[in-house]
């Protein structure tokens, strides 16, 4: 019986239930007893870490993180491993793949920071995302972030998969802004998919988590082996919070994506209308541009296929000037002025607070599960406050 994603999030881990608890227990132990009977003791040289159900030491596996990975696997459409953070997962991917060249565009500055370390240690050459296919070779990586941080704009995964595979290169997709339910990168040719689980998989701004998923068994085994020595496993408390969070992933992401699309459409219409309506005049006075995948009208033929259930809960506002961008968050009540994204609460960030590479007029908006009309009214109050000074 094929189950819907929302049902998988509730029941994919039922196979691990050994007690009558409905809510899974939090296991905090770092080490686990060996068998009492000497006949049942298996030396480490004979242990297959990929198939053994026994936990030995939590830097290898642990009950709580194993349960989290069990739930994530059907949601991500591939076996997966969890890590201490999104950047820890990305670092692990680059350590394992060890590409000579990485083709990457704009996006999360933290990913570029990881690549800087890789370049320092291994001499990795960084190419632009739009480099010619001929510049790539066997084992190189195209690092595609879609939707993009901080704008929420999307890229055609299939296009970059074809480009990578034509040269024997690898397509790594950072799908943090397009969580399960919104897009499946493997359907369009991704070889390995990364998520900062801190964001939508966690969804409550209270845990750090990274995830790597791949259908290549040899890669998964290698990544698991190397994770043991990188030491970048997530803690049991974070794993337990992740399990709790995945139960409502489908509900949260759909609501957040719908809210974002409604807000973006409202802003876009007001920005581009000839009407002298009060809200339209207000928005035109403050907003220079709005960025979001739902506004990529010319690219809808592939975009609606890639993201059939919504275009993501993050968008960006480019203000008329830096001063307006800096002041706007202070006039908002329902949008917290903070970095990060993906939580049930709405956030806005004057992006210059945490990213030195962006236009200082840019504000990143992470939409939560509140009523969208209340969020709209809050933005109106904010725009009004900015103009009045």
């Amino acid at each position: 019986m094929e189950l819907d994603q929302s049902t998988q999030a509730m029941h994919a881990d039922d196979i691990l239930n050994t007690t009558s608890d409905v809510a899974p227990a939090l296991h905090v132990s770092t080490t686990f007893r060996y068998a009492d009977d000497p006949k049942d003791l298996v030396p480490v040289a004979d242990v297959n870490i990929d198939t053994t159900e026994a936990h030995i030491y939590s830097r290898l596996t642990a009950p709580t993180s194993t349960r989290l990975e069990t739930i994530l696997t059907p949601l991500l459409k591939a076996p997966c491993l969890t890590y201490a953070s999104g950047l820890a997962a990305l670092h692990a991917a680059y350590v394992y793949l060890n590409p000579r060249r990485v083709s990457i565009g704009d996006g999360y500055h933290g990913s570029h920071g990881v690549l800087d370390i890789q370049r320092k240690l291994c001499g990795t050459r960084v190419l632009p995302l739009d480099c010619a296919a001929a510049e790539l070779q066997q084992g190189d990586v195209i690092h595609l972030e879609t939707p993009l941080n901080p704008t929420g704009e999307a890229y055609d995964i299939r296009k970059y998969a074809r480009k990578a595979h034509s040269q024997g290169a690898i397509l790594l997709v950072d799908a943090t802004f397009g969580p399960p339910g919104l897009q499946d990168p493997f359907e369009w040719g991704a070889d390995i998919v990364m998520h900062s689980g801190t964001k939508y998989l966690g969804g409550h701004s209270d845990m750090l988590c990274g995830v790597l998923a791949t259908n290549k068994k040899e890669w998964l085994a290698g990544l698991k082996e190397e994770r043991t020595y990188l030491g970048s496993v997530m803690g049991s408390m974070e794993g337990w919070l992740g399990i709790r969070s995945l139960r409502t992933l489908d509900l949260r992401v759909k609501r957040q994506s719908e809210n974002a699309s409604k807000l973006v459409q409202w802003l876009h219409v007001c920005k581009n209308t000839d009407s002298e309506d009060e809200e339209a005049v207000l928005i035109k006075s403050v907003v220079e541009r709005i960025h979001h995948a739902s506004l990529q009208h010319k690219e809808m033929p592939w975009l609606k296929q890639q993201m059939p259930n919504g275009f993501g809960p993050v968008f960006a506002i480019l203000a008329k000037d830096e001063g307006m961008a800096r002041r706007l968050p202070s006039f908002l009540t329902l949008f917290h002025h903070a970095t990060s994204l993906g939580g049930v609460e709405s956030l806005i960030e004057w992006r210059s607070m945490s990213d030195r590479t962006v236009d200082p007029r840019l504000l990143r908006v992470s939409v939560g599960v509140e009523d969208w009309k209340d969020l709209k009214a809050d933005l109106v109050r904010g725009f009004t406050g900015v103009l009045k000074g």
Side-chain angles (χ1 to χ4, degrees):
M1 179 173 61
E2 186 173 346
L3 301 178
D4 183 77
Q5 173 185 290
S6 58
T7 307
Q8 291 277 18
M10 297 299 300
H11 293 285
D13 59 324
D14 284 354
I15 57 173
L16 299 179
N17 293 338
T18 57
T19 69
S20 58
D21 300 39
V22 172
L26 166 60
H27 297 267
V28 297
S29 183
T30 59
T31 190
F32 304 88
R33 296 183 188 90
Y34 295 125
D36 291 329
D37 189 338
K39 296 178 181 178
D40 295 328
L41 295 176
V42 181
V44 67
D46 299 327
V47 172
N48 184 338
I49 193 173
D50 296 316
T51 59
T52 183
E53 296 181 1
H55 298 290
I56 300 169
Y57 187 60
S58 61
R59 188 158 38 78
L60 285 75
T61 63
T64 306
S65 57
T66 296
R67 183 179 287 268
L68 177 62
E69 291 165 357
T70 301
I71 303 170
L72 280 169
T73 290
L75 302 185
L76 298 176
K77 309 295 179 66
C80 67
L81 294 171
T82 54
Y83 293 84
S85 70
L87 290 185
L90 182 61
H91 175 62
Y94 279 126
V95 168
Y96 179 74
L97 297 172
N98 195 22
R100 295 179 62 188
R101 300 165 194 82
V102 174
S103 170
I104 186 172
D106 295 333
Y108 180 42
H109 62 95
S111 298
H112 288 269
V114 169
L115 270 179
D116 286 343
I117 295 171
Q118 188 76 5
R119 182 162 46 184
K120 180 180 74 171
L121 296 176
C122 305
T124 307
R125 183 182 169 199
V126 177
L127 304 173
L129 186 61
D130 60 355
C131 71
E135 293 186 59
L136 298 169
Q137 296 181 21
Q138 183 82 24
D140 290 344
V141 167
I142 293 181
H143 179 132
L144 183 67
E145 187 178 313
T146 185
L148 190 68
N149 185 0
T151 64
E153 294 166 315
Y155 286 93
D156 186 346
I157 297 173
R158 180 162 49 189
K159 170 186 170 182
Y160 288 94
R162 288 172 174 169
K163 178 181 176 180
H165 298 157
S166 71
Q167 305 299 312
I170 297 160
L171 179 62
L172 183 158
V173 174
D174 180 346
T176 298
F177 278 41
L182 295 187
Q183 72 177 12
D184 173 14
F186 291 113
E187 182 179 357
W188 308 105
D191 297 299
I192 185 167
V193 174
M194 182 213 118
H195 283 269
S196 172
T198 307
K199 312 306 192 293
Y200 292 100
L201 302 182
H204 293 78
S205 303
D206 58 6
M207 57 172 280
L208 292 176
C209 169
V211 182
L212 291 177
T214 181
N215 282 303
K216 298 180 184 296
K217 293 182 179 180
E218 181 182 349
W219 289 13
L220 194 77
L223 287 163
K224 192 170 187 178
E225 175 77 9
E226 291 185 358
R227 184 181 64 173
T228 300
Y229 304 108
L230 289 173
S232 50
V233 293
M234 67 186 304
S236 292
M237 182 64 188
E238 288 76 16
W240 185 86
L241 289 170
I243 293 165
R244 168 220 57 185
S245 298
L246 290 180
R247 306 303 195 198
T248 60
L249 175 68
D250 187 67
L251 297 172
R252 290 185 284 104
V253 168
K254 284 181 179 177
R255 172 69 173 236
Q256 289 170 288
S257 185
E258 289 171 2
N259 280 351
S261 291
K262 289 176 181 177
L263 289 171
V264 167
Q265 181 66 16
W266 163 66
L267 289 167
H268 178 71
V269 169
C270 288
K271 175 66 182 170
N272 293 280
T273 185
D274 294 328
S275 169
E276 293 301 313
D277 173 85
E278 184 177 348
E279 283 187 2
V281 171
L282 181 65
I283 289 168
K284 290 177 186 179
S285 300
V286 178
V287 177
E288 179 67 27
R289 193 176 308 129
I290 306 107
H291 296 277
H292 189 239
S294 66
L295 300 179
Q296 295 174 235
H297 302 301
K298 294 181 179 180
E299 297 170 287
M300 280 299 156
W302 63 260
L303 187 48
K304 281 188 175 180
Q305 293 182 43
Q306 186 172 299
M307 302 189 76
N309 301 317
F311 299 108
V314 172
F315 66 92
I317 295 171
L318 191 70
K320 289 285 186 180
D321 60 51
E322 179 181 343
M324 288 183 174
R326 185 185 188 113
R327 296 196 307 274
L328 177 60
S330 299
F331 289 104
L332 298 174
T333 302
L334 301 181
F335 289 87
H336 300 303
H337 190 197
T339 195
S340 199
L341 56 110
V344 290
E345 65 288 312
S346 291
L347 303 177
I348 190 168
E349 182 186 25
W350 178 40
R351 193 62 181 149
S352 292
M353 291 296 294
S354 61
D355 185 350
R356 67 188 64 167
T357 68
V358 299
D359 189 319
R361 298 173 295 163
L362 191 126
L363 295 135
R364 186 180 67 188
V365 184
S366 171
V367 182
V369 300
E370 303 95 335
D371 187 284
W372 86 274
K373 292 180 180 177
D374 293 332
L375 297 175
K376 171 185 170 182
D378 198 35
L379 287 172
V380 169
R381 285 192 296 270
F383 294 145
T384 302
V386 167
L387 288 182
K388 288 183 176 179

